[in-house]
Amino acid sequence: MAFSRVMLGFLGLFFTAGALLLMFLTLLGGARNSVPLNEIYFLQVDTGNIPGAPSVSRWTFWNICAVGDNGKSDCGTSYPDFPFDPPSHRNFDTTTNIPAAFIGTNHYFLTSRFTFPFLIIALFFGVVSLFTGFLAMCTRIGSYLSSLMAWISLVFQIITTSLMTAVFVQGRNKFNANGQTARLGAKSFGFMWTAVACLLLACIMYCLGGSVGGKETGYSGREHRRRGFFSSQRSNSVRSNKEANP
């Protein structure tokens, strides 16, 4: 049973670490102009007809990036929790050739801004689950504690990924309908949904690790104590009879 708990705890650690790696890569995409961070983005749009915009724009958590001749993102100054709001001063600061659906609404701004803090919360609980996961390989309480932390991380990761998917899929559709070619960043969405799956598997592994050997261990322990008590009583009784009847 100990071996099974070790294996399940290790699998939980493995899936948690994998999820955290993918989440961190997505979070840091666009923060630096180096591989692989300059290949991770949420949405790419042909914005050459928008005044002051690069010919091709990519949205990340940190900024709007142009695209270099090598097909990689060329990002400038980074701003955390950068919103997806094309007509605002935070993006292009114009309504010229901006799809009408983006004008006069805070929907895209608010939805995109909430993804960043939710991802930070998911990462926090995921990291806690990773560290407590070492205890999960040897103790039941460690398994259940790691599972709880992983479940909380999973909930916020699902919220983050769902919001991200909703806002950028809608944005892609609006730009395409306006005659501006747009496509989603395959890596960022692939990473985030894969992280959801990894966290779910980690939760299951931790829960299974906590339940391994529970009933058998408790039952055998009680039986051992019960046999020990009555054996002691019988031995004392036999000894007394021998002394009374030599």
Side-chain angles (χ1 to χ4, degrees):
M1 293 303 176
F3 178 74
S4 297
R5 179 168 293 149
V6 170
M7 288 300 298
L8 291 169
F10 175 78
L11 287 174
L13 272 174
F14 175 79
F15 287 121
T16 302
L20 289 174
L21 174 62
L22 297 175
M23 292 159 69
F24 272 115
L25 284 174
T26 305
L27 174 68
L28 297 176
R32 295 189 61 183
N33 293 320
S34 58
V35 178
L37 301 183
N38 59 358
E39 299 175 346
I40 300 171
Y41 58 91
F42 300 127
L43 181 67
Q44 175 178 300
V45 182
D46 291 340
T47 53
N49 62 345
I50 298 177
S55 58
V56 179
S57 300
R58 288 176 175 174
W59 276 265
T60 71
F61 271 129
W62 303 92
N63 42 37
I64 294 178
C65 304
V67 179
D69 295 335
N70 59 357
K72 311 294 185 184
S73 298
D74 184 11
C75 304
T77 305
S78 296
Y79 303 94
D81 201 7
F82 193 83
F84 175 58
D85 191 18
S88 76
H89 67 279
R90 302 174 185 87
N91 285 195
F92 300 130
D93 196 20
T94 182
T95 58
T96 304
N97 293 325
I98 298 291
F102 294 118
I103 301 173
T105 178
N106 289 324
H107 166 69
Y108 299 93
F109 170 78
L110 293 175
T111 306
S112 60
R113 287 298 285 264
F114 273 108
T115 58
F116 189 87
F118 282 146
L119 179 56
I120 296 298
I121 296 172
L123 282 168
F124 172 78
F125 285 102
V127 170
V128 173
S129 177
L130 181 69
F131 284 109
T132 58
F134 291 99
L135 296 176
M137 292 191 290
C138 53
T139 65
R140 185 175 302 141
I141 187 64
S143 296
Y144 287 134
L145 181 60
S146 298
S147 177
L148 175 62
M149 296 297 103
W151 276 114
I152 297 175
S153 178
L154 174 62
V155 169
F156 282 98
Q157 176 64 8
I158 290 174
I159 294 173
T160 300
T161 309
S162 298
L163 289 175
M164 186 184 85
T165 302
V167 70
F168 286 108
V169 167
Q170 291 174 2
R172 178 201 61 184
N173 294 341
K174 301 304 180 184
F175 275 113
N176 281 330
N178 199 48
Q180 295 158 300
T181 303
R183 62 184 178 89
L184 299 175
K187 289 185 178 180
S188 60
F189 285 92
F191 287 171
M192 291 294 277
W193 282 111
T194 302
V196 169
C198 287
L199 284 174
L200 177 60
L201 290 172
C203 292
I204 295 172
M205 294 299 107
Y206 286 138
C207 285
L208 290 176
S211 63
V212 162
K215 293 183 179 180
E216 291 82 354
T217 302
Y219 178 77
S220 61
R222 288 193 296 271
E223 284 295 306
H224 176 75
R225 290 192 297 272
R226 190 178 298 118
R227 287 196 299 269
F229 174 78
F230 286 111
S231 297
S232 176
Q233 291 293 324
R234 285 197 298 271
S235 62
N236 290 335
S237 177
V238 170
R239 188 179 300 111
S240 299
N241 290 335
K242 287 183 178 179
E243 291 175 355
N245 302 298

